[in-house]
Amino acid sequence: MDPVSARHKAASAPAPTGPVIRTTVLATAAAVGAVTTGTLTALIPSPGDTATTAAADEFTTTSLASDSSPLKSNHVAALIPVSFAVDTTDDASDDSADEHLAMLDKATTLAAQLAELHAKQAREQAENDRISALIERGGLDGWIAEALNIMDMPQSYAPSLKKIIMAESGGNPRAINTWDSNARRGTPSQGLMQTIPSTFRAYVHPSLRGRSITDPVANITAGVRYMIAQYGISTLKAGGRSNSSGDYVGY
């Protein structure tokens, strides 16, 4: 074919009514890019290229409408740490309940200890009142109670001490022995506990030194203090010394 004729035919051929291939490819790429990357590429048509613009707009609109998936961005979002509040209401309630129970136990223990303290104080007061009544009333039991109280000794020794006094003097604070060896030496035993004058002076309680040997309370303190010094507290608890037959032999 004549080259001139070919060019003439090409020049005289009617212009295609649809978009050219290059324009179509570009429009398609722009639409796909907008969907996949979130970045829309704008195609600016040349003046008079209305067909190309219309086709691109139609394709883009159709593609976007048909794809309902979210647009994806080519930017990586920063990861922001998220703190979650942990509901510890149950644990807190359990701890509170345990603490409450512990406080109740402690309160119960303290109440019991306080009650025991009050009971002990009441017992001590009752015993003091009893001793005071004995002392005020006088008599052998009163004298014994007062003597033990002065020596700061338990009143539980009273029965055994009374046994000794009854064996020594029969409970008579003015009793004097006129027949034993001490009497023959001129130093007779005297008083409830039948102590000789030298023993009385050496062992009478310091607070009672000014009293006479026949003073019942002073005499008891002297006899008890001498007995403990010579034979130990066990002799007082036993009610004096005894022989193999269990008979009282003094102190």
Side-chain angles (χ1 to χ4, degrees), residues 96-135:
S96 178
D98 291 342
E99 183 178 356
H100 183 64
L101 290 175
M103 292 178 65
L104 287 178
D105 291 340
K106 185 176 181 180
T108 301
T109 301
L110 290 176
Q113 292 175 347
L114 185 61
E116 176 59 27
L117 177 61
H118 287 166
K120 181 180 179 181
Q121 291 174 341
R123 291 192 298 269
E124 291 177 349
Q125 184 60 46
E127 178 65 9
N128 290 335
D129 292 343
R130 185 185 71 83
I131 295 170
S132 298
L134 287 174
I135 294 172

Short mmCIF file of all heavy atoms in Angstrom, two decimals, residues 96-135:
data_model
loop_
_atom_site.label_atom_id
_atom_site.label_comp_id
_atom_site.label_asym_id
_atom_site.label_seq_id
_atom_site.Cartn_x
_atom_site.Cartn_y
_atom_site.Cartn_z
N SER A 96 -11.71 -7.68 102.78
CA SER A 96 -12.44 -6.92 103.80
C SER A 96 -13.13 -7.85 104.79
O SER A 96 -13.13 -7.61 105.99
CB SER A 96 -13.47 -6.01 103.13
OG SER A 96 -14.21 -5.30 104.08
N ALA A 97 -13.72 -8.94 104.26
CA ALA A 97 -14.39 -9.90 105.14
C ALA A 97 -13.39 -10.58 106.07
O ALA A 97 -13.65 -10.74 107.27
CB ALA A 97 -15.13 -10.95 104.30
N ASP A 98 -12.22 -10.97 105.53
CA ASP A 98 -11.20 -11.60 106.36
C ASP A 98 -10.72 -10.65 107.46
O ASP A 98 -10.52 -11.05 108.62
CB ASP A 98 -10.00 -12.04 105.50
CG ASP A 98 -10.37 -13.19 104.57
OD1 ASP A 98 -11.39 -13.85 104.83
OD2 ASP A 98 -9.65 -13.41 103.59
N GLU A 99 -10.52 -9.39 107.07
CA GLU A 99 -10.07 -8.41 108.06
C GLU A 99 -11.12 -8.20 109.13
O GLU A 99 -10.80 -8.08 110.32
CB GLU A 99 -9.78 -7.08 107.35
CG GLU A 99 -9.24 -6.00 108.27
CD GLU A 99 -8.92 -4.71 107.54
OE1 GLU A 99 -9.04 -4.70 106.30
OE2 GLU A 99 -8.56 -3.74 108.21
N HIS A 100 -12.39 -8.20 108.72
CA HIS A 100 -13.48 -8.03 109.68
C HIS A 100 -13.52 -9.20 110.66
O HIS A 100 -13.68 -9.01 111.87
CB HIS A 100 -14.79 -7.92 108.93
CG HIS A 100 -15.97 -7.66 109.82
ND1 HIS A 100 -16.10 -6.49 110.56
CD2 HIS A 100 -17.07 -8.40 110.09
CE1 HIS A 100 -17.23 -6.54 111.25
NE2 HIS A 100 -17.83 -7.68 110.99
N LEU A 101 -13.35 -10.42 110.14
CA LEU A 101 -13.34 -11.59 111.01
C LEU A 101 -12.17 -11.56 111.97
O LEU A 101 -12.29 -11.92 113.14
CB LEU A 101 -13.30 -12.86 110.15
CG LEU A 101 -14.56 -13.19 109.35
CD1 LEU A 101 -14.34 -14.40 108.47
CD2 LEU A 101 -15.75 -13.43 110.29
N ALA A 102 -11.01 -11.13 111.46
CA ALA A 102 -9.83 -11.05 112.33
C ALA A 102 -10.06 -10.05 113.46
O ALA A 102 -9.67 -10.29 114.61
CB ALA A 102 -8.60 -10.65 111.51
N MET A 103 -10.70 -8.94 113.12
CA MET A 103 -10.99 -7.93 114.14
C MET A 103 -11.98 -8.47 115.17
O MET A 103 -11.86 -8.19 116.37
CB MET A 103 -11.53 -6.67 113.48
CG MET A 103 -10.50 -5.91 112.64
SD MET A 103 -11.20 -4.47 111.82
CE MET A 103 -11.62 -3.45 113.24
N LEU A 104 -12.96 -9.24 114.69
CA LEU A 104 -13.92 -9.84 115.62
C LEU A 104 -13.24 -10.82 116.56
O LEU A 104 -13.52 -10.84 117.78
CB LEU A 104 -15.03 -10.55 114.83
CG LEU A 104 -16.05 -9.65 114.13
CD1 LEU A 104 -17.05 -10.50 113.34
CD2 LEU A 104 -16.79 -8.77 115.13
N ASP A 105 -12.33 -11.65 116.01
CA ASP A 105 -11.59 -12.60 116.85
C ASP A 105 -10.76 -11.87 117.90
O ASP A 105 -10.71 -12.27 119.07
CB ASP A 105 -10.69 -13.49 115.98
CG ASP A 105 -11.50 -14.45 115.13
OD1 ASP A 105 -12.67 -14.70 115.47
OD2 ASP A 105 -10.95 -14.96 114.14
N LYS A 106 -10.10 -10.80 117.45
CA LYS A 106 -9.26 -10.04 118.38
C LYS A 106 -10.11 -9.40 119.46
O LYS A 106 -9.75 -9.41 120.65
CB LYS A 106 -8.50 -8.96 117.61
CG LYS A 106 -7.51 -8.18 118.47
CD LYS A 106 -6.72 -7.20 117.63
CE LYS A 106 -5.71 -6.44 118.49
NZ LYS A 106 -4.92 -5.48 117.68
N ALA A 107 -11.27 -8.85 119.05
CA ALA A 107 -12.16 -8.23 120.03
C ALA A 107 -12.68 -9.25 121.03
O ALA A 107 -12.77 -8.98 122.24
CB ALA A 107 -13.32 -7.56 119.30
N THR A 108 -12.99 -10.46 120.53
CA THR A 108 -13.47 -11.51 121.42
C THR A 108 -12.40 -11.91 122.43
O THR A 108 -12.67 -12.10 123.62
CB THR A 108 -13.89 -12.74 120.61
OG1 THR A 108 -14.92 -12.36 119.69
CG2 THR A 108 -14.42 -13.84 121.51
N THR A 109 -11.15 -12.04 121.94
CA THR A 109 -10.04 -12.40 122.82
C THR A 109 -9.81 -11.32 123.88
O THR A 109 -9.62 -11.62 125.07
CB THR A 109 -8.75 -12.59 122.01
OG1 THR A 109 -8.96 -13.62 121.04
CG2 THR A 109 -7.58 -12.98 122.90
N LEU A 110 -9.83 -10.06 123.45
CA LEU A 110 -9.62 -8.97 124.40
C LEU A 110 -10.75 -8.92 125.43
O LEU A 110 -10.50 -8.66 126.61
CB LEU A 110 -9.54 -7.64 123.64
CG LEU A 110 -8.28 -7.43 122.79
CD1 LEU A 110 -8.38 -6.12 122.02
CD2 LEU A 110 -7.03 -7.43 123.66
N ALA A 111 -11.97 -9.17 124.97
CA ALA A 111 -13.10 -9.16 125.89
C ALA A 111 -12.96 -10.27 126.93
O ALA A 111 -13.24 -10.06 128.13
CB ALA A 111 -14.40 -9.32 125.11
N ALA A 112 -12.49 -11.45 126.48
CA ALA A 112 -12.30 -12.57 127.41
C ALA A 112 -11.20 -12.25 128.42
O ALA A 112 -11.32 -12.53 129.62
CB ALA A 112 -11.96 -13.84 126.64
N GLN A 113 -10.10 -11.64 127.93
CA GLN A 113 -9.01 -11.28 128.84
C GLN A 113 -9.46 -10.22 129.84
O GLN A 113 -9.09 -10.28 131.01
CB GLN A 113 -7.82 -10.77 128.02
CG GLN A 113 -7.15 -11.85 127.17
CD GLN A 113 -6.05 -11.29 126.29
OE1 GLN A 113 -5.93 -10.07 126.12
NE2 GLN A 113 -5.24 -12.15 125.71
N LEU A 114 -10.24 -9.26 129.35
CA LEU A 114 -10.73 -8.22 130.25
C LEU A 114 -11.67 -8.80 131.30
O LEU A 114 -11.61 -8.42 132.48
CB LEU A 114 -11.45 -7.15 129.43
CG LEU A 114 -11.94 -5.92 130.20
CD1 LEU A 114 -10.75 -5.20 130.84
CD2 LEU A 114 -12.68 -4.96 129.27
N ALA A 115 -12.52 -9.73 130.87
CA ALA A 115 -13.44 -10.37 131.81
C ALA A 115 -12.67 -11.15 132.87
O ALA A 115 -13.00 -11.12 134.06
CB ALA A 115 -14.41 -11.28 131.06
N GLU A 116 -11.61 -11.86 132.44
CA GLU A 116 -10.79 -12.62 133.38
C GLU A 116 -10.07 -11.68 134.36
O GLU A 116 -9.96 -11.98 135.55
CB GLU A 116 -9.76 -13.46 132.61
CG GLU A 116 -8.79 -14.23 133.50
CD GLU A 116 -9.48 -15.20 134.44
OE1 GLU A 116 -10.60 -15.67 134.11
OE2 GLU A 116 -8.91 -15.49 135.51
N LEU A 117 -9.60 -10.54 133.84
CA LEU A 117 -8.93 -9.57 134.71
C LEU A 117 -9.90 -9.04 135.76
O LEU A 117 -9.55 -8.93 136.95
CB LEU A 117 -8.38 -8.42 133.86
CG LEU A 117 -7.71 -7.28 134.64
CD1 LEU A 117 -6.51 -7.81 135.43
CD2 LEU A 117 -7.28 -6.17 133.69
N HIS A 118 -11.11 -8.72 135.31
CA HIS A 118 -12.11 -8.23 136.26
C HIS A 118 -12.46 -9.30 137.30
O HIS A 118 -12.63 -8.98 138.49
CB HIS A 118 -13.37 -7.80 135.51
CG HIS A 118 -13.20 -6.53 134.75
ND1 HIS A 118 -14.09 -6.10 133.78
CD2 HIS A 118 -12.21 -5.59 134.79
CE1 HIS A 118 -13.67 -4.95 133.29
NE2 HIS A 118 -12.53 -4.63 133.87
N ALA A 119 -12.56 -10.54 136.84
CA ALA A 119 -12.86 -11.62 137.78
C ALA A 119 -11.74 -11.80 138.79
O ALA A 119 -11.98 -12.02 139.99
CB ALA A 119 -13.09 -12.92 137.01
N LYS A 120 -10.49 -11.70 138.31
CA LYS A 120 -9.35 -11.83 139.21
C LYS A 120 -9.35 -10.70 140.24
O LYS A 120 -9.10 -10.93 141.44
CB LYS A 120 -8.05 -11.81 138.41
CG LYS A 120 -6.80 -11.95 139.26
CD LYS A 120 -5.54 -11.94 138.41
CE LYS A 120 -4.30 -12.04 139.27
NZ LYS A 120 -3.05 -12.00 138.46
N GLN A 121 -9.60 -9.50 139.77
CA GLN A 121 -9.64 -8.36 140.68
C GLN A 121 -10.76 -8.52 141.70
O GLN A 121 -10.59 -8.16 142.87
CB GLN A 121 -9.83 -7.07 139.88
CG GLN A 121 -8.62 -6.69 139.03
CD GLN A 121 -8.88 -5.48 138.16
OE1 GLN A 121 -10.03 -5.12 137.90
NE2 GLN A 121 -7.81 -4.85 137.68
N ALA A 122 -11.88 -9.07 141.25
CA ALA A 122 -13.00 -9.29 142.17
C ALA A 122 -12.63 -10.32 143.23
O ALA A 122 -12.97 -10.17 144.41
CB ALA A 122 -14.23 -9.74 141.38
N ARG A 123 -11.92 -11.40 142.81
CA ARG A 123 -11.50 -12.42 143.77
C ARG A 123 -10.52 -11.85 144.79
O ARG A 123 -10.60 -12.13 146.00
CB ARG A 123 -10.87 -13.61 143.04
CG ARG A 123 -11.86 -14.44 142.20
CD ARG A 123 -11.24 -15.75 141.76
NE ARG A 123 -10.08 -15.54 140.91
CZ ARG A 123 -10.14 -15.47 139.57
NH1 ARG A 123 -11.32 -15.55 138.96
NH2 ARG A 123 -9.05 -15.31 138.84
N GLU A 124 -9.57 -11.05 144.28
CA GLU A 124 -8.59 -10.44 145.19
C GLU A 124 -9.26 -9.50 146.17
O GLU A 124 -8.90 -9.48 147.36
CB GLU A 124 -7.53 -9.71 144.37
CG GLU A 124 -6.63 -10.63 143.56
CD GLU A 124 -5.65 -9.85 142.70
OE1 GLU A 124 -5.82 -8.62 142.58
OE2 GLU A 124 -4.72 -10.48 142.15
N GLN A 125 -10.22 -8.73 145.67
CA GLN A 125 -10.92 -7.81 146.55
C GLN A 125 -11.72 -8.56 147.61
O GLN A 125 -11.75 -8.17 148.79
CB GLN A 125 -11.86 -6.92 145.73
CG GLN A 125 -12.56 -5.84 146.54
CD GLN A 125 -11.58 -4.90 147.20
OE1 GLN A 125 -10.62 -4.43 146.58
NE2 GLN A 125 -11.80 -4.60 148.48
N ALA A 126 -12.34 -9.66 147.18
CA ALA A 126 -13.10 -10.48 148.14
C ALA A 126 -12.19 -11.06 149.21
O ALA A 126 -12.54 -11.10 150.41
CB ALA A 126 -13.83 -11.59 147.40
N GLU A 127 -11.00 -11.50 148.81
CA GLU A 127 -10.05 -12.06 149.78
C GLU A 127 -9.55 -10.98 150.74
O GLU A 127 -9.43 -11.21 151.95
CB GLU A 127 -8.87 -12.69 149.04
CG GLU A 127 -7.77 -13.26 149.94
CD GLU A 127 -8.24 -14.44 150.77
OE1 GLU A 127 -9.37 -14.95 150.56
OE2 GLU A 127 -7.47 -14.89 151.64
N ASN A 128 -9.28 -9.80 150.19
CA ASN A 128 -8.84 -8.70 151.05
C ASN A 128 -9.93 -8.31 152.05
O ASN A 128 -9.64 -8.03 153.22
CB ASN A 128 -8.46 -7.48 150.20
CG ASN A 128 -7.18 -7.71 149.40
OD1 ASN A 128 -6.34 -8.52 149.79
ND2 ASN A 128 -7.05 -7.00 148.29
N ASP A 129 -11.15 -8.32 151.56
CA ASP A 129 -12.27 -8.01 152.46
C ASP A 129 -12.38 -9.06 153.57
O ASP A 129 -12.67 -8.74 154.73
CB ASP A 129 -13.58 -7.93 151.67
CG ASP A 129 -13.61 -6.73 150.71
OD1 ASP A 129 -12.79 -5.81 150.89
OD2 ASP A 129 -14.44 -6.75 149.78
N ARG A 130 -12.17 -10.32 153.19
CA ARG A 130 -12.25 -11.40 154.20
C ARG A 130 -11.16 -11.24 155.25
O ARG A 130 -11.41 -11.39 156.46
CB ARG A 130 -12.11 -12.76 153.50
CG ARG A 130 -12.30 -13.96 154.42
CD ARG A 130 -12.04 -15.26 153.69
NE ARG A 130 -10.63 -15.43 153.40
CZ ARG A 130 -9.75 -15.92 154.26
NH1 ARG A 130 -10.13 -16.27 155.49
NH2 ARG A 130 -8.48 -16.07 153.93
N ILE A 131 -9.95 -10.95 154.79
CA ILE A 131 -8.83 -10.79 155.73
C ILE A 131 -9.08 -9.59 156.65
O ILE A 131 -8.84 -9.65 157.87
CB ILE A 131 -7.52 -10.61 154.96
CG1 ILE A 131 -7.19 -11.89 154.18
CG2 ILE A 131 -6.38 -10.25 155.90
CD1 ILE A 131 -6.04 -11.74 153.22
N SER A 132 -9.56 -8.50 156.04
CA SER A 132 -9.85 -7.31 156.84
C SER A 132 -10.89 -7.61 157.91
O SER A 132 -10.77 -7.14 159.06
CB SER A 132 -10.33 -6.18 155.93
OG SER A 132 -9.33 -5.82 154.99
N ALA A 133 -11.89 -8.40 157.51
CA ALA A 133 -12.93 -8.76 158.49
C ALA A 133 -12.36 -9.62 159.61
O ALA A 133 -12.71 -9.44 160.79
CB ALA A 133 -14.07 -9.50 157.78
N LEU A 134 -11.47 -10.55 159.26
CA LEU A 134 -10.84 -11.39 160.28
C LEU A 134 -10.00 -10.57 161.24
O LEU A 134 -10.05 -10.76 162.48
CB LEU A 134 -9.97 -12.46 159.62
CG LEU A 134 -10.69 -13.62 158.92
CD1 LEU A 134 -9.67 -14.49 158.19
CD2 LEU A 134 -11.49 -14.44 159.93
N ILE A 135 -9.24 -9.65 160.67
CA ILE A 135 -8.37 -8.83 161.50
C ILE A 135 -9.19 -7.94 162.43
O ILE A 135 -8.87 -7.77 163.61
CB ILE A 135 -7.44 -7.99 160.60
CG1 ILE A 135 -6.48 -8.91 159.83
CG2 ILE A 135 -6.67 -6.97 161.41
CD1 ILE A 135 -5.65 -8.20 158.78
#
